[in-house]
Amino acid sequence: MAYVVFLGGLVVVLTGLTWFASWAKRRGHGSGVAGALAAYEEAYRTTAHQSHHEIRRAADRKAETGTPDDLQG
């Protein structure tokens, strides 16, 4: 019986967190949390912060793609 109560409580908590996450995304409140985490990583985990910026720069760059006709010339 204790397992059923525990699993029921776990389901309720996870459902509530999922609802809260979707609510925050709809309202646009998620960016504050992302900013707070970025500030934490910049202060205490400098390599993770540098990697984060490197990944964002790589995502912003557009890959140069060519066509097969470019290779023949």
Side-chain angles (χ1 to χ4, degrees), residues 1-69:
M1 182 68 178
Y3 293 117
V4 174
V5 172
F6 173 74
L7 287 176
L10 184 64
V11 167
V12 168
V13 168
L14 291 177
T15 303
L17 289 174
T18 304
W19 172 82
F20 179 73
S22 66
W23 176 81
K25 275 187 177 181
R26 277 185 276 131
R27 302 254 190 226
H29 295 302
S31 61
V33 174
L37 288 175
Y40 169 80
E41 285 192 347
E42 184 177 4
Y44 295 106
R45 299 175 56 198
T46 56
T47 56
H49 183 71
Q50 292 167 351
S51 298
H52 170 74
H53 282 288
E54 192 173 314
I55 290 170
R56 296 228 13 209
R57 274 186 258 130
D60 290 342
R61 286 193 301 259
K62 294 188 178 190
E64 295 182 25
T65 56
T67 62
D69 293 334

